[in-house]
Coordinates of all heavy atoms in Angstrom, one line a residue:
M1 N 0.8 -1.2 0.0 CA 0.0 0.0 0.0 C 0.9 1.2 0.0 O 0.5 2.3 -0.6 CB -0.9 -0.1 1.2 CG -1.9 1.1 1.3 SD -3.0 0.9 0.0 CE -4.2 2.2 0.3
K2 N 2.0 1.1 0.7 CA 2.8 2.3 0.8 C 3.5 2.6 -0.5 O 3.7 3.8 -0.9 CB 4.0 2.0 1.9 CG 4.8 3.2 2.2 CD 5.8 2.9 3.3 CE 6.6 4.0 3.7 NZ 7.6 3.8 4.8
K3 N 3.8 1.6 -1.3 CA 4.4 1.8 -2.6 C 3.4 2.5 -3.6 O 3.7 3.4 -4.3 CB 4.8 0.5 -3.2 CG 6.1 -0.1 -2.7 CD 6.4 -1.3 -3.4 CE 7.7 -2.0 -2.8 NZ 8.1 -3.2 -3.5
I4 N 2.2 2.1 -3.4 CA 1.1 2.7 -4.3 C 0.9 4.2 -4.0 O 0.8 5.1 -4.9 CB -0.2 2.0 -4.1 CG1 -0.1 0.6 -4.7 CG2 -1.4 2.7 -4.8 CD1 -1.3 -0.3 -4.5
I5 N 1.0 4.5 -2.7 CA 0.8 6.0 -2.3 C 2.0 6.8 -2.9 O 1.9 7.8 -3.4 CB 0.7 6.0 -0.8 CG1 -0.6 5.5 -0.4 CG2 0.8 7.5 -0.4 CD1 -0.8 5.4 1.1
I6 N 3.3 6.2 -2.7 CA 4.5 6.9 -3.1 C 4.4 7.1 -4.7 O 4.7 8.2 -5.2 CB 5.7 6.1 -2.7 CG1 5.9 6.3 -1.1 CG2 7.0 6.7 -3.4 CD1 6.9 5.4 -0.6
L7 N 4.1 6.0 -5.4 CA 4.0 6.1 -6.9 C 3.0 7.1 -7.3 O 3.1 7.9 -8.3 CB 3.8 4.7 -7.4 CG 4.9 3.8 -7.4 CD1 4.5 2.4 -7.9 CD2 6.1 4.3 -8.1
T8 N 1.8 7.1 -6.6 CA 0.8 8.1 -6.9 C 1.3 9.5 -6.7 O 1.0 10.4 -7.5 CB -0.5 7.8 -6.1 OG1 -0.9 6.4 -6.4 CG2 -1.6 8.8 -6.4
L9 N 2.0 9.8 -5.6 CA 2.4 11.1 -5.3 C 3.5 11.5 -6.3 O 3.5 12.7 -6.8 CB 3.0 11.1 -3.9 CG 2.0 11.1 -2.8 CD1 2.7 11.0 -1.4 CD2 1.0 12.3 -2.8
I10 N 4.3 10.6 -6.7 CA 5.4 10.9 -7.7 C 4.7 11.3 -9.1 O 5.1 12.2 -9.8 CB 6.3 9.8 -7.9 CG1 7.3 9.7 -6.6 CG2 7.2 10.0 -9.1 CD1 8.1 8.5 -6.6
F11 N 3.7 10.5 -9.4 CA 2.9 10.8 -10.7 C 2.3 12.1 -10.6 O 2.4 12.9 -11.6 CB 1.9 9.7 -10.9 CG 1.0 10.0 -12.1 CD1 1.4 9.8 -13.4 CD2 -0.3 10.4 -11.9 CE1 0.6 10.1 -14.4 CE2 -1.2 10.7 -12.9 CZ -0.7 10.6 -14.2
L12 N 1.6 12.4 -9.5 CA 1.0 13.7 -9.4 C 2.0 14.9 -9.4 O 1.6 16.0 -9.9 CB 0.1 13.8 -8.1 CG -1.1 12.9 -8.2 CD1 -1.8 12.9 -6.8 CD2 -2.1 13.3 -9.3
M13 N 3.1 14.6 -8.9 CA 4.1 15.7 -8.8 C 4.5 16.1 -10.2 O 4.8 17.3 -10.5 CB 5.4 15.1 -8.1 CG 6.5 16.2 -8.0 SD 7.9 15.5 -7.0 CE 8.6 14.3 -8.1
F14 N 4.5 15.2 -11.2 CA 4.8 15.5 -12.6 C 3.6 15.9 -13.4 O 3.7 16.7 -14.3 CB 5.6 14.4 -13.2 CG 6.9 14.2 -12.7 CD1 7.2 13.1 -11.9 CD2 7.9 15.1 -13.0 CE1 8.5 12.9 -11.4 CE2 9.2 14.9 -12.6 CZ 9.5 13.9 -11.7
A15 N 2.4 15.4 -13.1 CA 1.2 15.5 -13.9 C 0.5 16.9 -13.5 O 0.0 17.5 -14.5 CB 0.3 14.4 -13.6
V16 N 0.5 17.3 -12.3 CA -0.3 18.4 -11.9 C 0.2 19.7 -12.6 O -0.5 20.5 -13.1 CB -0.4 18.6 -10.4 CG1 -1.0 19.9 -10.0 CG2 -1.2 17.4 -9.8
P17 N 1.6 19.9 -12.7 CA 2.1 21.1 -13.3 C 1.6 21.2 -14.8 O 1.5 22.2 -15.4 CB 3.5 21.0 -13.1 CG 3.7 20.3 -11.9 CD 2.7 19.3 -12.0
M18 N 1.5 20.0 -15.4 CA 1.0 20.0 -16.9 C -0.3 20.6 -17.0 O -0.7 21.0 -18.1 CB 1.2 18.6 -17.4 CG 2.6 18.2 -17.5 SD 2.6 16.6 -18.4 CE 4.3 16.2 -18.3
L19 N -1.2 20.4 -16.0 CA -2.5 20.9 -16.1 C -2.5 22.5 -16.3 O -3.3 23.1 -16.9 CB -3.3 20.6 -14.8 CG -3.6 19.1 -14.6 CD1 -4.3 18.9 -13.4 CD2 -4.5 18.5 -15.8
A20 N -1.5 23.2 -15.6 CA -1.4 24.6 -15.8 C -1.0 25.0 -17.2 O -1.4 26.1 -17.6 CB -0.3 25.1 -14.8
L21 N -0.3 24.1 -17.9 CA 0.0 24.5 -19.3 C -1.2 24.5 -20.2 O -1.2 25.2 -21.2 CB 1.1 23.4 -19.8 CG 2.4 23.4 -19.1 CD1 3.2 22.3 -19.6 CD2 3.1 24.8 -19.2
G22 N -2.3 23.8 -19.8 CA -3.5 23.8 -20.7 C -4.4 24.8 -20.3 O -5.5 25.0 -20.9
A23 N -4.2 25.7 -19.3 CA -5.1 26.6 -18.8 C -5.1 27.8 -19.8 O -4.0 28.1 -20.3 CB -4.7 27.2 -17.4
P24 N -6.2 28.4 -20.0 CA -6.3 29.6 -20.9 C -5.6 30.8 -20.3 O -5.4 30.9 -19.1 CB -7.8 29.9 -21.0 CG -8.4 29.3 -19.8 CD -7.5 28.1 -19.5
A25 N -5.0 31.6 -21.2 CA -4.3 32.8 -20.7 C -5.3 33.8 -20.1 O -6.4 33.9 -20.5 CB -3.5 33.4 -21.8
P26 N -4.9 34.5 -19.0 CA -5.8 35.5 -18.4 C -6.0 36.6 -19.4 O -5.3 36.9 -20.3 CB -5.0 36.0 -17.2 CG -3.6 35.4 -17.3 CD -3.6 34.4 -18.3
A27 N -7.2 37.3 -19.2 CA -7.5 38.4 -20.1 C -6.5 39.5 -20.1 O -6.0 39.9 -19.0 CB -8.9 39.0 -19.7
G28 N -6.1 40.0 -21.2 CA -5.2 41.0 -21.4 C -3.8 40.6 -21.4 O -2.8 41.4 -21.5
A29 N -3.5 39.3 -21.3 CA -2.1 38.8 -21.3 C -1.7 38.8 -22.8 O -2.4 38.6 -23.8 CB -2.1 37.3 -20.9
P30 N -0.4 39.1 -23.1 CA 0.1 39.1 -24.5 C 0.1 37.6 -25.0 O 0.2 36.7 -24.3 CB 1.6 39.5 -24.3 CG 1.9 39.3 -22.9 CD 0.7 39.4 -22.1
D31 N 0.0 37.6 -26.3 CA 0.0 36.3 -27.0 C 1.3 35.8 -27.2 O 2.2 36.4 -27.8 CB -0.7 36.5 -28.4 CG -0.9 35.2 -29.1 OD1 -0.8 34.1 -28.5 OD2 -1.2 35.2 -30.3
T32 N 1.6 34.7 -26.5 CA 2.9 34.1 -26.5 C 3.1 32.8 -27.3 O 4.1 32.1 -27.2 CB 3.4 33.8 -25.1 OG1 2.5 32.9 -24.5 CG2 3.6 35.2 -24.3
R33 N 2.0 32.5 -28.1 CA 2.1 31.3 -28.9 C 3.2 31.4 -29.9 O 3.4 32.5 -30.4 CB 0.8 31.1 -29.5 CG -0.3 30.7 -28.6 CD -1.6 30.5 -29.3 NE -2.0 31.7 -29.8 CZ -3.1 31.9 -30.6 NH1 -3.9 30.9 -30.9 NH2 -3.4 33.1 -31.0
V34 N 3.8 30.3 -30.1 CA 4.8 30.2 -31.2 C 4.3 29.4 -32.3 O 3.8 28.2 -32.1 CB 6.1 29.6 -30.6 CG1 7.2 29.4 -31.7 CG2 6.6 30.4 -29.4
D35 N 4.4 29.9 -33.5 CA 3.9 29.2 -34.7 C 4.9 28.0 -35.0 O 6.1 28.2 -34.9 CB 3.8 30.1 -35.9 CG 2.6 31.0 -35.7 OD1 1.7 30.7 -35.1 OD2 2.7 32.1 -36.3
A36 N 4.4 26.9 -35.3 CA 5.3 25.7 -35.7 C 5.9 26.0 -37.0 O 5.2 26.5 -37.9 CB 4.4 24.4 -35.7
P37 N 7.2 25.7 -37.1 CA 7.8 25.9 -38.4 C 7.3 24.9 -39.5 O 6.8 23.9 -39.2 CB 9.3 25.6 -38.1 CG 9.3 24.7 -36.9 CD 8.0 25.0 -36.1
N38 N 7.3 25.4 -40.7 CA 6.8 24.6 -41.8 C 7.9 23.7 -42.2 O 8.7 24.1 -43.0 CB 6.3 25.5 -42.9 CG 5.1 26.3 -42.6 OD1 4.3 25.9 -41.7 ND2 5.0 27.5 -43.0
L39 N 8.0 22.5 -41.7 CA 9.0 21.5 -42.0 C 8.4 20.5 -42.9 O 7.3 20.0 -42.7 CB 9.6 20.9 -40.8 CG 10.3 21.8 -39.8 CD1 10.6 21.0 -38.5 CD2 11.5 22.4 -40.4
T40 N 9.2 20.1 -43.9 CA 8.8 18.9 -44.8 C 9.2 17.6 -44.1 O 10.0 17.6 -43.1 CB 9.5 19.1 -46.1 OG1 10.9 18.9 -45.9 CG2 9.2 20.4 -46.8
T41 N 8.6 16.6 -44.6 CA 9.0 15.3 -44.0 C 10.5 15.0 -44.1 O 11.1 14.4 -43.1 CB 8.2 14.2 -44.8 OG1 6.8 14.5 -44.7 CG2 8.4 12.8 -44.1
T42 N 11.1 15.4 -45.2 CA 12.6 15.2 -45.4 C 13.3 16.0 -44.3 O 14.3 15.4 -43.8 CB 13.0 15.7 -46.8 OG1 12.2 15.0 -47.7 CG2 14.4 15.4 -47.0
E43 N 13.0 17.2 -44.0 CA 13.7 17.9 -43.0 C 13.5 17.4 -41.6 O 14.4 17.4 -40.8 CB 13.2 19.4 -43.0 CG 13.6 20.2 -44.2 CD 12.9 21.5 -44.3 OE1 11.8 21.7 -43.7 OE2 13.4 22.4 -45.0
I44 N 12.3 16.8 -41.3 CA 12.1 16.2 -40.0 C 12.9 15.0 -39.9 O 13.5 14.7 -38.9 CB 10.6 15.9 -39.8 CG1 9.8 17.2 -39.7 CG2 10.3 15.0 -38.7 CD1 8.2 17.0 -39.8
I45 N 13.0 14.1 -40.9 CA 13.8 12.9 -40.9 C 15.2 13.3 -40.7 O 15.9 12.6 -39.9 CB 13.6 12.1 -42.2 CG1 12.2 11.5 -42.2 CG2 14.7 11.0 -42.3 CD1 11.8 10.8 -43.6
N46 N 15.7 14.3 -41.4 CA 17.1 14.7 -41.3 C 17.4 15.2 -39.9 O 18.5 14.9 -39.3 CB 17.5 15.8 -42.3 CG 17.7 15.2 -43.7 OD1 18.0 14.0 -43.9 ND2 17.4 16.1 -44.7
R47 N 16.5 15.9 -39.3 CA 16.7 16.4 -37.9 C 16.8 15.3 -36.9 O 17.5 15.3 -36.0 CB 15.6 17.4 -37.5 CG 15.8 18.8 -38.2 CD 14.8 19.8 -37.7 NE 15.0 21.1 -38.4 CZ 14.5 22.2 -38.0 NH1 13.7 22.2 -36.9 NH2 14.7 23.3 -38.7
V48 N 15.8 14.3 -37.0 CA 15.7 13.2 -36.1 C 17.1 12.4 -36.3 O 17.7 11.9 -35.3 CB 14.5 12.4 -36.4 CG1 14.6 11.0 -35.6 CG2 13.3 13.1 -35.9
V49 N 17.5 12.1 -37.5 CA 18.6 11.3 -37.7 C 19.9 12.0 -37.2 O 20.8 11.4 -36.6 CB 18.8 11.0 -39.3 CG1 20.2 10.4 -39.6 CG2 17.7 10.0 -39.8
N50 N 19.9 13.3 -37.4 CA 21.1 14.1 -36.8 C 21.1 14.0 -35.3 O 22.1 13.9 -34.7 CB 21.1 15.5 -37.3 CG 21.6 15.7 -38.7 OD1 22.3 14.8 -39.2 ND2 21.1 16.7 -39.4
L51 N 19.9 14.1 -34.7 CA 19.9 14.0 -33.2 C 20.3 12.6 -32.8 O 21.1 12.6 -31.8 CB 18.4 14.3 -32.7 CG 18.2 14.1 -31.3 CD1 18.9 15.1 -30.4 CD2 16.7 14.1 -30.9
I52 N 19.9 11.6 -33.4 CA 20.3 10.2 -33.0 C 21.8 10.1 -33.3 O 22.4 9.4 -32.4 CB 19.4 9.2 -33.8 CG1 18.0 9.2 -33.4 CG2 20.0 7.8 -33.7 CD1 17.0 8.4 -34.2
W53 N 22.3 10.6 -34.3 CA 23.7 10.5 -34.6 C 24.5 11.1 -33.5 O 25.5 10.5 -33.0 CB 24.0 11.2 -36.0 CG 25.5 11.4 -36.2 CD1 26.2 12.6 -36.2 CD2 26.4 10.4 -36.5 NE1 27.4 12.4 -36.5 CE2 27.7 11.0 -36.6 CE3 26.3 9.0 -36.7 CZ2 28.8 10.3 -37.0 CZ3 27.5 8.3 -37.0 CH2 28.7 9.0 -37.1
W54 N 24.2 12.3 -33.0 CA 25.0 12.9 -32.0 C 24.8 12.2 -30.7 O 25.7 12.2 -29.8 CB 24.6 14.4 -31.8 CG 25.2 15.2 -33.0 CD1 24.5 15.8 -34.0 CD2 26.5 15.4 -33.3 NE1 25.3 16.3 -34.9 CE2 26.6 16.1 -34.5 CE3 27.7 15.0 -32.7 CZ2 27.8 16.4 -35.1 CZ3 28.9 15.3 -33.2 CH2 29.0 16.1 -34.5
V55 N 23.7 11.6 -30.4 CA 23.5 10.8 -29.2 C 24.4 9.6 -29.2 O 25.0 9.2 -28.3 CB 22.0 10.3 -29.0 CG1 21.9 9.3 -27.9 CG2 21.2 11.5 -28.7
I56 N 24.5 8.9 -30.4 CA 25.4 7.8 -30.7 C 26.8 8.2 -30.4 O 27.6 7.5 -29.8 CB 25.2 7.2 -32.1 CG1 23.9 6.5 -32.1 CG2 26.4 6.2 -32.4 CD1 23.5 5.9 -33.5
I57 N 27.3 9.3 -31.0 CA 28.6 9.8 -30.8 C 28.9 10.1 -29.3 O 30.0 9.7 -28.8 CB 28.8 11.1 -31.6 CG1 28.7 10.7 -33.1 CG2 30.2 11.7 -31.3 CD1 29.8 9.8 -33.6
A58 N 28.0 10.7 -28.6 CA 28.2 10.9 -27.2 C 28.3 9.7 -26.4 O 29.1 9.5 -25.5 CB 27.1 11.8 -26.6
G59 N 27.4 8.7 -26.7 CA 27.5 7.4 -26.1 C 28.8 6.6 -26.4 O 29.3 6.0 -25.4
A60 N 29.2 6.7 -27.6 CA 30.5 6.1 -28.0 C 31.7 6.7 -27.3 O 32.6 6.0 -26.8 CB 30.7 6.1 -29.4
A61 N 31.7 8.0 -27.2 CA 32.7 8.7 -26.5 C 32.8 8.3 -25.0 O 33.8 8.1 -24.4 CB 32.5 10.2 -26.6
L62 N 31.6 8.3 -24.4 CA 31.5 7.8 -23.0 C 32.0 6.4 -22.8 O 32.7 6.1 -21.9 CB 30.0 8.0 -22.5 CG 29.8 7.6 -21.0 CD1 30.6 8.5 -20.1 CD2 28.3 7.6 -20.7
A63 N 31.7 5.5 -23.8 CA 32.1 4.1 -23.7 C 33.6 4.0 -23.8 O 34.2 3.2 -23.1 CB 31.4 3.3 -24.8
I64 N 34.2 4.9 -24.7 CA 35.6 4.8 -24.9 C 36.3 5.3 -23.6 O 37.4 4.9 -23.1 CB 36.1 5.6 -26.1 CG1 35.6 4.8 -27.3 CG2 37.5 5.9 -26.1 CD1 35.7 5.5 -28.6
I65 N 35.7 6.4 -23.0 CA 36.3 6.8 -21.7 C 36.2 5.8 -20.6 O 37.2 5.6 -19.9 CB 35.6 8.2 -21.3 CG1 35.9 9.3 -22.2 CG2 35.9 8.5 -19.8 CD1 35.1 10.6 -22.1
I66 N 35.1 5.1 -20.5 CA 35.0 4.1 -19.5 C 36.0 2.9 -19.8 O 36.6 2.4 -18.9 CB 33.5 3.5 -19.5 CG1 32.6 4.6 -18.9 CG2 33.4 2.2 -18.7 CD1 31.1 4.2 -19.1
A67 N 36.2 2.6 -21.1 CA 37.2 1.6 -21.4 C 38.5 2.0 -21.1 O 39.4 1.2 -20.6 CB 37.0 1.3 -23.0
A68 N 38.8 3.3 -21.3 CA 40.2 3.8 -21.0 C 40.4 3.6 -19.5 O 41.5 3.2 -19.0 CB 40.3 5.2 -21.4
V69 N 39.4 3.9 -18.7 CA 39.6 3.9 -17.2 C 39.8 2.4 -16.8 O 40.6 2.1 -16.0 CB 38.3 4.5 -16.5 CG1 38.4 4.1 -15.0 CG2 38.3 6.0 -16.7
L70 N 39.0 1.5 -17.4 CA 39.1 0.1 -17.2 C 40.5 -0.5 -17.6 O 41.1 -1.2 -16.8 CB 38.0 -0.8 -17.9 CG 36.6 -0.7 -17.3 CD1 35.6 -1.4 -18.2 CD2 36.6 -1.3 -15.9
F71 N 41.0 0.0 -18.7 CA 42.3 -0.4 -19.1 C 43.4 0.0 -18.1 O 44.3 -0.7 -17.8 CB 42.7 0.1 -20.5 CG 42.3 -0.7 -21.7 CD1 41.5 -0.2 -22.7 CD2 42.7 -2.0 -21.8 CE1 41.1 -1.0 -23.8 CE2 42.4 -2.9 -22.8 CZ 41.6 -2.4 -23.8
L72 N 43.3 1.3 -17.7 CA 44.3 1.8 -16.8 C 44.2 1.2 -15.4 O 45.2 1.1 -14.7 CB 44.1 3.4 -16.7 CG 44.4 4.2 -18.0 CD1 44.0 5.6 -17.8 CD2 45.9 4.0 -18.3
T73 N 43.0 0.8 -15.0 CA 42.9 0.3 -13.6 C 42.9 -1.3 -13.6 O 42.7 -1.9 -12.5 CB 41.6 0.8 -12.9 OG1 40.5 0.4 -13.7 CG2 41.6 2.3 -12.8
S74 N 43.1 -1.9 -14.7 CA 43.0 -3.4 -14.8 C 44.1 -4.1 -14.0 O 43.9 -5.1 -13.5 CB 43.0 -3.8 -16.2 OG 44.2 -3.6 -16.9
A75 N 45.4 -3.5 -14.0 CA 46.5 -4.0 -13.3 C 46.8 -5.5 -13.8 O 47.0 -6.3 -12.9 CB 46.3 -3.9 -11.9
G76 N 46.5 -5.8 -15.0 CA 46.8 -7.0 -15.6 C 45.7 -8.0 -15.4 O 45.8 -9.2 -15.8
D77 N 44.6 -7.6 -14.8 CA 43.4 -8.5 -14.6 C 42.7 -8.7 -16.0 O 42.2 -7.8 -16.7 CB 42.4 -7.8 -13.7 CG 41.2 -8.7 -13.4 OD1 41.3 -9.9 -13.8 OD2 40.2 -8.2 -12.8
G78 N 42.7 -9.9 -16.5 CA 42.3 -10.3 -17.8 C 40.8 -10.0 -18.0 O 40.3 -9.6 -19.1
E79 N 40.0 -10.2 -16.9 CA 38.5 -9.8 -17.0 C 38.3 -8.4 -17.3 O 37.5 -8.1 -18.1 CB 37.9 -10.3 -15.7 CG 36.4 -10.2 -15.7 CD 35.8 -10.7 -14.4 OE1 36.2 -11.7 -13.8 OE2 34.8 -10.0 -14.0
K80 N 39.0 -7.5 -16.6 CA 38.8 -6.1 -16.8 C 39.3 -5.7 -18.2 O 38.7 -4.8 -18.9 CB 39.5 -5.2 -15.8 CG 38.8 -5.2 -14.5 CD 39.5 -4.2 -13.5 CE 38.8 -4.0 -12.2 NZ 39.5 -3.1 -11.4
I81 N 40.3 -6.3 -18.7 CA 40.9 -5.9 -20.0 C 39.8 -6.4 -21.1 O 39.6 -5.7 -22.0 CB 42.2 -6.6 -20.2 CG1 43.3 -5.9 -19.4 CG2 42.6 -6.5 -21.7 CD1 44.6 -6.6 -19.4
E82 N 39.3 -7.6 -20.9 CA 38.3 -8.1 -21.9 C 37.0 -7.2 -21.8 O 36.4 -6.9 -22.9 CB 37.9 -9.5 -21.6 CG 39.0 -10.5 -22.0 CD 39.3 -10.4 -23.5 OE1 38.4 -10.3 -24.3 OE2 40.5 -10.4 -23.8
K83 N 36.6 -6.7 -20.7 CA 35.5 -5.9 -20.5 C 35.8 -4.5 -21.2 O 34.9 -4.0 -22.0 CB 35.1 -5.7 -19.1 CG 33.9 -5.0 -18.8 CD 33.6 -4.9 -17.3 CE 32.2 -4.2 -17.0 NZ 31.9 -4.2 -15.6
A84 N 36.9 -4.0 -21.1 CA 37.3 -2.7 -21.7 C 37.3 -2.9 -23.2 O 36.8 -2.0 -24.0 CB 38.6 -2.3 -21.2
R85 N 37.9 -4.0 -23.7 CA 37.9 -4.3 -25.2 C 36.4 -4.4 -25.7 O 36.1 -3.9 -26.8 CB 38.6 -5.6 -25.5 CG 40.1 -5.4 -25.4 CD 40.8 -6.7 -25.8 NE 42.2 -6.5 -25.6 CZ 43.1 -7.5 -25.4 NH1 42.7 -8.7 -25.4 NH2 44.4 -7.3 -25.3
G86 N 35.5 -4.9 -24.9 CA 34.2 -5.0 -25.3 C 33.5 -3.6 -25.4 O 32.7 -3.3 -26.3
Y87 N 33.8 -2.7 -24.5 CA 33.4 -1.4 -24.6 C 33.9 -0.7 -25.8 O 33.1 0.0 -26.5 CB 33.8 -0.6 -23.4 CG 32.9 -0.7 -22.2 CD1 33.4 -1.3 -21.0 CD2 31.6 -0.3 -22.2 CE1 32.6 -1.4 -19.9 CE2 30.7 -0.5 -21.1 CZ 31.2 -1.1 -20.0 OH 30.4 -1.2 -18.9
V88 N 35.1 -0.8 -26.2 CA 35.7 -0.2 -27.3 C 35.1 -0.7 -28.6 O 34.7 0.0 -29.5 CB 37.3 -0.4 -27.4 CG1 37.8 0.1 -28.7 CG2 37.9 0.4 -26.2
L89 N 34.9 -2.1 -28.6 CA 34.3 -2.7 -29.8 C 32.9 -2.3 -30.0 O 32.4 -1.9 -31.1 CB 34.4 -4.2 -29.7 CG 33.7 -5.0 -30.8 CD1 34.5 -4.7 -32.1 CD2 33.8 -6.5 -30.5
G90 N 32.1 -2.1 -28.9 CA 30.8 -1.7 -28.9 C 30.7 -0.2 -29.4 O 29.8 0.2 -30.2
A91 N 31.6 0.6 -28.9 CA 31.6 2.0 -29.4 C 31.9 2.1 -30.9 O 31.3 2.9 -31.6 CB 32.7 2.8 -28.6
I92 N 32.9 1.3 -31.4 CA 33.2 1.3 -32.8 C 32.0 0.8 -33.6 O 31.7 1.5 -34.6 CB 34.5 0.5 -33.0 CG1 35.7 1.2 -32.4 CG2 34.7 0.3 -34.5 CD1 36.9 0.4 -32.4
L93 N 31.4 -0.3 -33.1 CA 30.2 -0.8 -33.9 C 29.0 0.3 -33.9 O 28.4 0.4 -34.9 CB 29.8 -2.1 -33.3 CG 30.6 -3.3 -33.6 CD1 30.1 -4.5 -32.8 CD2 30.7 -3.6 -35.0
A94 N 28.9 0.9 -32.8 CA 27.8 1.9 -32.7 C 28.1 3.1 -33.7 O 27.2 3.5 -34.4 CB 27.7 2.5 -31.3
I95 N 29.3 3.5 -33.9 CA 29.7 4.6 -34.7 C 29.5 4.1 -36.2 O 28.9 4.8 -37.0 CB 31.1 5.1 -34.5 CG1 31.1 5.8 -33.1 CG2 31.6 6.0 -35.6 CD1 32.6 6.2 -32.7
V96 N 29.8 2.9 -36.5 CA 29.7 2.3 -37.9 C 28.2 2.2 -38.2 O 27.8 2.7 -39.3 CB 30.5 1.0 -38.0 CG1 30.1 0.3 -39.3 CG2 31.9 1.2 -37.9
V97 N 27.5 1.6 -37.3 CA 26.0 1.5 -37.6 C 25.3 2.9 -37.7 O 24.5 3.1 -38.6 CB 25.3 0.6 -36.5 CG1 23.8 0.6 -36.6 CG2 25.9 -0.8 -36.6
G98 N 25.7 3.8 -36.8 CA 25.1 5.1 -36.9 C 25.5 5.8 -38.2 O 24.6 6.5 -38.8
A99 N 26.7 5.7 -38.6 CA 27.2 6.3 -39.9 C 26.4 5.7 -41.0 O 26.0 6.4 -42.0 CB 28.6 6.2 -40.0
A100 N 26.2 4.4 -41.0 CA 25.5 3.7 -42.1 C 24.1 4.2 -42.1 O 23.5 4.5 -43.2 CB 25.6 2.2 -41.9
A101 N 23.4 4.3 -40.9 CA 22.1 4.8 -40.9 C 21.9 6.2 -41.4 O 21.0 6.6 -42.1 CB 21.5 4.6 -39.5
R102 N 22.9 7.0 -41.0 CA 22.8 8.4 -41.4 C 23.1 8.5 -42.9 O 22.4 9.3 -43.6 CB 24.0 9.2 -40.7 CG 23.9 10.7 -40.8 CD 24.9 11.4 -40.0 NE 24.7 12.8 -40.0 CZ 25.6 13.7 -39.6 NH1 26.8 13.2 -39.2 NH2 25.4 14.9 -39.7
G103 N 24.0 7.8 -43.4 CA 24.2 7.8 -44.8 C 23.0 7.3 -45.6 O 22.6 7.8 -46.7
L104 N 22.3 6.2 -45.1 CA 21.2 5.7 -45.8 C 20.0 6.7 -45.8 O 19.3 6.9 -46.8 CB 20.7 4.4 -45.0 CG 19.5 3.7 -45.7 CD1 19.7 3.2 -47.0 CD2 19.0 2.6 -44.8
A105 N 19.9 7.4 -44.6 CA 18.8 8.4 -44.5 C 19.1 9.6 -45.5 O 18.2 10.1 -46.1 CB 18.7 9.0 -43.2
K106 N 20.4 10.0 -45.7 CA 20.7 11.0 -46.6 C 20.5 10.6 -48.0 O 20.1 11.3 -48.9 CB 22.2 11.5 -46.4 CG 22.4 12.1 -45.0 CD 22.8 13.6 -45.2 CE 23.2 14.1 -43.8 NZ 22.5 15.3 -43.5
F107 N 20.8 9.3 -48.3 CA 20.6 8.7 -49.6 C 19.1 8.7 -50.0 O 18.8 9.1 -51.1 CB 21.3 7.4 -49.7 CG 21.1 6.7 -51.0 CD1 21.8 7.1 -52.1 CD2 20.2 5.6 -51.2 CE1 21.7 6.5 -53.3 CE2 20.0 5.0 -52.4 CZ 20.7 5.4 -53.5
V108 N 18.4 8.3 -49.1 CA 16.9 8.1 -49.3 C 16.3 9.5 -49.5 O 15.4 9.7 -50.4 CB 16.2 7.4 -48.2 CG1 14.7 7.4 -48.3 CG2 16.7 5.9 -48.2
T109 N 16.6 10.5 -48.7 CA 16.1 11.8 -48.8 C 16.7 12.6 -49.9 O 16.3 13.5 -50.4 CB 16.0 12.6 -47.5 OG1 17.4 12.7 -47.0 CG2 15.2 11.8 -46.4

């Protein structure tokens, strides 16, 4: 029962402020609406692919940093060295797959 109450409170903590976003503006308030840009499907795909590309690059950089720390702190421990090699291999594969996906998206559009 305690978990249900806690989860409900957490949900409400995030949900209640969203209700304020749907409230109408008070009378006399300036119009602050922003018009949506007129984007084509191609531009939307390119923006999404570019966002995913930079997330992959950031994740790969983080994986390489973690691998470097594991290599440096392994002190000859074969298990840590193999784990670090796995991180490096995963980062390289992520970059290759991301580059292929980005190239395919650019080719299609």
Side-chain angles (χ1 to χ4, degrees):
M1 184 67 176
K2 188 174 182 181
K3 286 183 182 179
I4 293 174
I5 292 172
I6 291 173
L7 289 174
T8 304
L9 289 175
I10 290 173
F11 173 75
L12 290 175
M13 182 176 68
F14 290 106
V16 171
M18 289 186 185
L19 295 175
L21 296 175
D31 187 15
T32 58
R33 290 180 292 179
V34 178
D35 292 330
N38 295 326
L39 296 175
T40 64
T41 305
T42 304
E43 291 171 337
I44 293 171
I45 290 171
N46 283 335
R47 287 185 181 194
V48 169
V49 168
N50 282 335
L51 174 68
I52 293 170
W53 169 251
W54 288 111
V55 169
I56 289 172
I57 292 297
L62 182 64
I64 290 173
I65 291 170
I66 291 171
V69 170
L70 284 174
F71 271 127
L72 292 173
T73 61
S74 67
D77 184 11
E79 185 178 320
K80 282 188 177 181
I81 292 174
E82 287 301 316
K83 190 174 181 180
R85 285 184 182 159
Y87 277 118
V88 171
L89 181 63
I92 291 171
L93 286 175
I95 291 172
V96 168
V97 170
R102 189 174 187 199
L104 181 64
K106 296 243 185 231
F107 176 74
V108 170
T109 58

